[in-house]
Amino acid sequence: MHAGPDNDTPAAASTNPGGASQRHSGEQADGSSEDSDLQVRLIEILQRISGADADQITAEARLIEDIGIDSLGFYEILIEADECLGIRIAEEDLLRFRTVGDVQQHLESLKRVHDQQD
């Protein structure tokens, strides 16, 4: 049998469902293809602003510490989101962003509100 109870069923159970839930999370969201397009475009914007490699720009990456966005860069995000994505971020919301995922979630929520108004 296997090497003891520590690595028995829980490890196997957490490995498979974890992978499955990650695959399903994008599929379950309404407009998931639009969300992934937004993610790709956001990564391109953050690359231009920071000069970071695309593989560094993950949802968990911190804007300042990991990507190298400075205070001016936050305003560039605001401008680029408006010009490239047609999404206006309120200036007071800029200071709330800590990670790439924070920006993406905010943009997705603003886009959904905008789409519902059209």
Side-chain angles (χ1 to χ4, degrees):
M1 302 7 160
H2 293 287
D6 293 343
N7 294 333
D8 238 8
T9 317
S14 66
T15 303
N16 293 337
S21 68
Q22 288 176 351
R23 282 186 216 107
H24 292 296
S25 65
E27 296 168 8
Q28 291 175 352
D30 291 340
S32 62
S33 64
E34 290 179 16
D35 290 348
S36 66
D37 181 51
L38 184 104
Q39 179 183 16
V40 168
R41 295 177 74 187
L42 175 60
I43 290 170
E44 291 170 354
I45 289 169
L46 293 174
Q47 271 187 289
R48 279 198 307 270
I49 292 171
S50 69
D53 292 331
D55 58 344
Q56 291 179 299
I57 304 174
T58 64
E60 299 81 22
R62 297 169 297 175
L63 294 168
I64 297 170
E65 298 87 347
D66 300 330
I67 306 297
I69 301 289
D70 59 12
S71 57
L72 180 59
F74 277 86
Y75 283 95
E76 290 181 68
I77 292 170
L78 184 142
I79 292 165
E80 292 278 338
D82 188 19
E83 290 179 359
C84 298
L85 304 173
I87 301 172
R88 290 193 177 178
I89 300 172
E91 190 173 335
E92 58 270 12
D93 290 335
L94 288 177
L95 298 176
R96 297 181 187 159
F97 302 145
R98 298 287 178 245
T99 66
V100 173
D102 293 341
V103 179
Q104 182 176 346
Q105 288 175 355
H106 189 72
L107 290 172
E108 289 170 355
S109 67
L110 290 174
K111 184 169 181 3
R112 280 188 211 106
V113 168
H114 181 266
D115 290 348
Q116 288 175 354
Q117 293 174 350
D118 286 346

